[in-house]
Amino acid sequence: MSTNPTASETGPSDDFPADFLDVDDLTAAQLDAVLDRAEALKTGRDATTLPRTTLAMLFEKPSTRTRASFETGMTQLGGHAMFLGPDDIQLGHGEPLKDTARALAGYADAIMARTFDHGDVETLAEYADVPVVNGLTDEAHPCQTLADLLTIRQAFGGLDDVSVAWVGDGNNVARSFAVGCALAGVDLTVATPDGFGLGDDVLDRCTGLGAAPTLADGPADAVADADVVYTDVWVSMGQEKRREEKLPAFDGYQLNEALLAGTDADVMHCLPAHRGEEITDDVIESDRALVWEQAENRMHAQKALLVELLT
Ligand code: CP
Ligand code: NVA
């Protein structure tokens, strides 16, 4: 566990980025500060609020956790969150995103967006002169990574000496998580089927941060020495038409008791889970699962992020 003073004790980090589009927008020290503050907010040691602050939440895809955690988080901070779904606003009827960005920035103190195209959150950040937070794109899910690292830190008392295995699709959640592990110094081993890896861009970013993940020789190799095994759905939102093409590639990648036998690894999943596909019901319902801590920690981590972005 970090022995640094919490961010609330040291004050806002210098040079905190204007936007949070992926986890390596932060330095390692800023990431640590966000996690420190998240713990302090969670325990009540930090009572920072953001009164009369509004977060506009733009969703092109469905959400349970992201929507509910940002909305309740803003309530707890003394602010307000405004839900803008795909059918609710003129964006869904042809208004350019750059116009939406500038209009929303005139009302809201920050914008959180869940889009298909990662370029869309970049466009929002370019045109909105308030902080933009990525609430998931096809390429990245950095808010999930904040909660994941907070969960590992709390479960293991720190991030050093924890070995994590990612087993499954090299998708948006995996990509941000790999970069977050590299930034935070978490040992990561990855098992992804051929053609569904993290992507060279992510491996290059991890290498640039000094910690490329180990590429395992299949799921059994990946989990052998893992303290935590993490997976996500095999068919992400927007990929439904690729379902028949993708599923056969993931044969053998399911988190089940046979794969985990002989390990005492904990299990993580960002949720929603598709029981019977990437994970079995007995594994996700077992004592191994950290999934509910992960889900709750979304709120604490995002509250900390918003405080850092807005103070
Ligand atoms: N993990 C996550 O982002 O969940 P939602 O899709 O429910 O927001
Ligand atoms: N990879 C999943 C994550 C959902 C939170 C998706 O993009 O659908």
Side-chain angles (χ1 to χ4, degrees):
M1 178 153 330
S2 169
T3 53
N4 296 335
T6 68
S8 51
E9 287 157 358
T10 58
S13 315
D14 290 337
D15 302 324
F16 204 80
D19 305 291
F20 183 65
L21 304 188
D22 208 343
V23 69
D24 52 348
D25 287 348
L26 306 182
T27 64
Q30 289 166 344
L31 174 60
D32 199 37
V34 170
L35 299 179
D36 281 347
R37 190 187 282 281
E39 279 191 355
L41 287 165
K42 186 174 180 177
T43 60
R45 272 191 298 123
D46 184 335
T48 305
T49 57
L50 296 172
R52 288 188 298 205
T53 301
T54 298
L55 176 70
M57 305 194 300
L58 201 57
F59 282 93
E60 284 186 348
K61 302 177 181 178
S63 169
T64 298
R65 280 142 290 269
T66 303
R67 177 181 176 177
S69 58
F70 269 108
E71 190 161 335
T72 50
M74 284 302 294
T75 301
Q76 291 183 11
L77 289 168
H80 173 70
M82 175 169 54
F83 175 76
L84 303 168
D87 301 323
D88 300 331
I89 57 173
Q90 303 294 5
L91 182 65
H93 300 273
E95 183 168 25
L97 187 60
K98 61 186 182 181
D99 294 2
T100 305
R102 286 172 286 189
L104 289 178
Y107 315 126
D109 300 280
I111 299 169
M112 187 279 296
R114 168 169 287 195
T115 64
F116 289 93
D117 185 351
H118 190 79
D120 283 347
V121 291
E122 294 174 338
T123 299
L124 282 169
E126 181 183 348
Y127 283 92
D129 60 3
V130 298
V132 172
V133 174
N134 180 355
L136 180 143
T137 65
D138 289 348
E139 291 181 27
H141 198 3
C143 291
Q144 183 67 53
T145 300
L146 296 181
D148 298 338
L149 293 174
L150 180 60
T151 302
I152 295 169
R153 211 165 93 144
Q154 295 190 315
F156 292 89
L159 294 174
D160 300 336
D161 306 320
V162 183
S163 294
V164 184
W166 178 276
V167 176
D169 196 12
N171 62 16
N172 41 13
V173 173
R175 288 166 54 88
S176 287
F177 185 70
V179 174
C181 284
L183 195 59
V186 175
D187 177 58
L188 178 66
T189 300
V190 173
T192 52
D194 287 346
F196 298 103
L198 296 172
D200 289 343
D201 58 329
V202 162
L203 295 177
D204 288 348
R205 282 157 65 197
C206 293
T207 301
L209 291 165
T214 301
L215 302 182
D217 188 16
D221 181 35
V223 306
D225 297 316
D227 301 303
V228 185
V229 184
Y230 193 173
T231 195
D232 183 22
V233 293
W234 293 336
V235 181
S236 287
M237 291 180 280
Q239 297 184 332
E240 291 79 5
K241 287 187 178 146
R242 297 182 59 202
R243 185 175 174 80
E244 299 312 315
E245 166 214 340
K246 285 194 77 175
L247 284 192
F250 290 88
D251 189 29
Y253 282 77
Q254 183 186 68
L255 295 199
N256 54 38
E257 282 299 349
L259 181 66
L260 298 171
T263 85
D264 58 2
D266 290 330
V267 165
M268 291 174 55
H269 194 306
C270 61
L271 304 175
H274 290 189
R275 288 165 166 81
E277 289 191 7
E278 77 279 359
I279 194 165
T280 56
D281 184 68
D282 55 349
V283 166
I284 200 167
E285 296 293 345
S286 74
D287 291 343
R288 294 181 185 273
L290 296 173
V291 300
W292 311 117
E293 288 88 336
Q294 278 179 273
E296 181 187 325
N297 280 333
R298 290 292 304 277
M299 182 180 71
H300 304 298
Q302 290 157 194
K303 284 170 67 179
L305 176 73
L306 289 168
V307 169
E308 295 285 343
L309 282 168
L310 291 171
T311 57

